[in-house]
Amino acid sequence: MNSRSVIRGVVAQEILDSRGNPTVAVTVTLVNGIVATACVPSGASRGIREALELRDGDAKRYGGKGVLKAVANVNKIIAPKLRGKSPAEQREIDTLLCALDGTETKAKLGANAILGVSMAVCRAAAQASGIPLYAHLRRLHGAKARAPFVLPVPMMNVLNGGAHSTNNVDFQEFMLFPIGAPTLSEALRYGAETFHTLKKLLQKRGLVTAVGDEGGFAPNLKSNDEAVAIIVEAIRGAGYTPGKDIAIALDPAASEFFDEGSYVFKKTDGSRKTPADMIALYRQWVRKYPIVSLEDGMGEEDRDGWRAITKALGKKLQLVGDDNFVTNPKIFAEGIRDGIANAILIKLNQIGTVSETLATIALAQKNGYGAVISHRSGETEDTFIADLAVGTCAGQIKTGSLCRSERVAKYNRILAIERELGTKARFGQPAA
Ligand SMILES: O=C(O)[C@@H](CO)OP(=O)(O)O
Ligand SMILES: [Mg+2]
């Protein structure tokens, strides 16, 4: 990279996310004319220890204009400090961003301000090097240049509940996980066909086929159990074998219904369950249904519950920690020491920089934990996570359903990478 590849300008602006809420987009311009933009997503079922984004709900602090504050922080505080720096120095830039903020949680400048800059810098560096973003991310991740890239197995969220919809289902995400598909494009075809079959099944039963935040159907059902049963039926109806071609991955997002030591099914029947009841329920479901991956089966504050579920089901199931690990290398390291879960969900905006995200993925890979690269429920057209999944060889990605463009954009990006890499990539398989 030469001196003409240094940063000339950094500009943020407010844009809309897929829920129609304001969010941050950042554009980095290099002296050589390269322009790179990144958009920041936002979650609804957030972990309490996530890095703090400045949102418009922060009425007290910013008169309800948190995103504009984040935008101003980029334009006035961050931009002058980055001028003249090489975007290739991702770690140095991310360290500077954290230092400029100065808080543990990125609360001062806002994790959304910082992440937008970090991602746009990364994209500009890839362009300046003349290589695809996934290849640049692989370099940053320190992976061997000659090892094949891994295209991730998609987790496709076809039925939404919890905080992502107004239906009566407590569990947040019911996902198709096509573990038997031979290629990425076939995996997406398996998912799309099952998604359409599911729609017909719901219609036949007189159930609503409107969708939730991540594009999965959001019907009112009799129980959480019924959601899994109908998906299994759809898999069969589409001509696939449940468990062999397509398995099921769940994200109950249990922190959302954890209340003073119990799990309360507020949306279905109001019943209260102890942590032991929850584990018994999952055990029963695993016997009955082809479930192979369970994310946030226990609440983030239920440390004992997490220990117990890992002991009870950790050998049979991929247990993914999301709210409890919040993509934070320090917090995750404690979890590893504690023997909690066997996989981690990776969300860039939970931690707020590309470098820290890569460090967390490296930690997972070093310790034999699975890593699932993930979208947020409030998304944009940005496809950074597709390249992140391929560049780090994470092997798994969850990015919603198949009928909302902000989700499909990520799948389409991986399809483009699949075509581009040909035999230089293999199709991943989950660790569990
Ligand atoms: O819980 C999750 O895993 C995510 C993404 O599916 O939801 P949110 O972005 O609302 O936290
Ligand atoms: Mg989750």
Side-chain angles (χ1 to χ4, degrees):
M1 229 178 259
N2 57 40
S3 59
R4 289 186 36 77
S5 306
V6 298
I7 295 172
R8 180 168 62 197
V10 180
V11 178
Q13 79 172 97
E14 185 181 80
I15 59 162
L16 291 175
D17 73 13
S18 58
R19 275 193 278 254
N21 292 328
T23 189
V24 180
V26 176
T27 299
V28 166
T29 310
L30 306 186
V31 170
N32 62 11
I34 280 172
V35 180
T37 297
C39 310
V40 181
S42 179
S45 64
R46 271 169 271 174
I48 43 185
R49 295 203 281 175
E50 288 191 21
L52 291 173
E53 47 178 17
L54 303 183
R55 295 294 296 179
D56 284 20
D58 297 339
K60 267 193 228 125
R61 287 202 290 172
Y62 307 109
K65 300 218 177 337
V67 171
L68 285 179
K69 175 72 179 147
V71 165
N73 288 345
V74 173
N75 295 338
K76 295 198 182 119
I77 301 172
I78 297 175
K81 301 280 186 204
L82 293 196
R83 240 166 257 143
K85 292 212 174 297
S86 165
E89 301 303 327
Q90 185 78 42
R91 203 168 309 155
E92 189 194 298
I93 288 179
D94 287 342
T95 306
L96 172 67
L97 293 171
C98 293
L100 279 175
D101 176 82
T103 69
E104 237 344 82
T105 51
K106 301 186 175 69
K108 191 167 153 239
L109 298 178
N112 42 353
I114 292 173
L115 181 63
V117 174
S118 183
M119 285 162 65
V121 162
C122 189
R123 208 169 245 146
Q127 286 183 42
S129 302
I131 58 174
L133 180 58
Y134 60 82
H136 178 63
L137 282 161
R138 166 152 88 174
R139 275 189 197 166
L140 291 178
H141 195 46
K144 291 204 184 66
R146 277 204 275 148
F149 284 100
V150 179
L151 302 171
V153 183
M155 289 180 178
M156 295 165 276
N157 183 6
V158 293
L159 206 145
N160 294 187
H164 293 171
S165 75
T166 51
N167 66 352
N168 67 350
V169 176
D170 298 287
F171 288 7
Q172 185 177 279
E173 300 169 28
F174 298 83
M175 296 172 278
L176 301 172
F177 197 26
I179 51 172
T183 61
L184 184 265
S185 35
E186 282 291 283
L188 290 175
R189 192 168 62 81
Y190 286 20
E193 288 172 2
T194 306
F195 180 68
H196 296 306
T197 307
L198 177 61
K199 183 170 187 176
K200 282 189 206 119
L201 270 176
L202 293 170
Q203 273 165 341
K204 223 161 69 194
R205 291 184 197 182
L207 294 165
V208 166
T209 55
V211 297
D213 286 356
E214 298 189 349
F217 300 116
N220 280 327
L221 299 172
K222 278 189 231 65
S223 63
N224 298 305
D225 202 306
E226 193 187 352
V228 195
I230 198 162
I231 290 174
V232 172
E233 211 182 314
I235 294 172
R236 273 208 194 92
Y240 296 104
T241 307
K244 185 166 162 279
D245 300 318
I246 307 178
I248 289 176
L250 297 177
D251 178 6
S255 313
E256 291 291 313
F257 51 91
F258 186 63
D259 182 25
E260 294 182 2
S262 320
Y263 293 89
V264 187
F265 286 6
K266 293 174 229 159
K267 292 181 100 183
T268 39
D269 54 9
S271 62
R272 268 184 178 269
K273 311 235 177 307
T274 64
D277 293 338
M278 288 302 287
I279 294 170
L281 175 86
Y282 295 134
R283 198 195 286 281
Q284 191 199 345
W285 277 23
V286 171
R287 278 201 205 110
K288 214 154 103 184
Y289 304 117
I291 296 166
V292 298
S293 181
L294 175 67
E295 175 187 329
D296 282 1
M298 310 307 276
E300 62 192 306
E301 290 171 291
D302 186 8
R303 199 76 175 173
D304 291 339
W306 261 109
R307 271 191 211 101
I309 196 171
T310 308
K311 220 162 143 204
L313 299 172
K315 294 227 161 61
K316 278 200 203 97
L317 267 186
Q318 173 170 263
L319 296 173
V320 187
D322 171 13
D323 286 354
N324 55 348
F325 296 152
V326 289
T327 315
N328 182 316
K330 276 191 216 142
I331 296 174
F332 180 38
E334 282 165 26
I336 295 173
R337 270 197 299 277
D338 222 0
I340 281 176
N342 54 29
I344 179 172
L345 200 77
I346 300 291
K347 294 164 166 169
L348 286 145
N349 80 326
Q350 280 183 326
I351 184 67
T353 64
V354 172
S355 300
E356 290 164 289
T357 304
L358 291 174
T360 305
I361 297 170
L363 201 57
Q365 291 172 333
K366 213 170 75 200
N367 286 280
Y369 273 60
V372 184
I373 309 297
S374 172
H375 65 162
R376 297 306 306 242
S377 51
E379 262 298 333
T380 72
E381 61 276 29
D382 194 302
T383 58
F384 194 98
I385 59 166
D387 287 76
L388 181 66
V390 177
T392 58
C393 296
Q396 303 178 64
I397 191 169
K398 78 160 188 173
T399 185
S401 182
L402 298 143
C403 73
R404 288 182 57 138
S405 294
E406 77 278 5
R407 320 284 153 190
V408 175
K410 278 74 161 170
Y411 294 129
N412 286 346
R413 171 68 189 143
I414 312 172
L415 282 172
I417 298 175
E418 178 186 52
R419 194 187 55 232
E420 190 169 297
L421 285 174
T423 54
K424 281 187 259 155
R426 64 178 183 80
F427 181 51
Q429 282 303 316

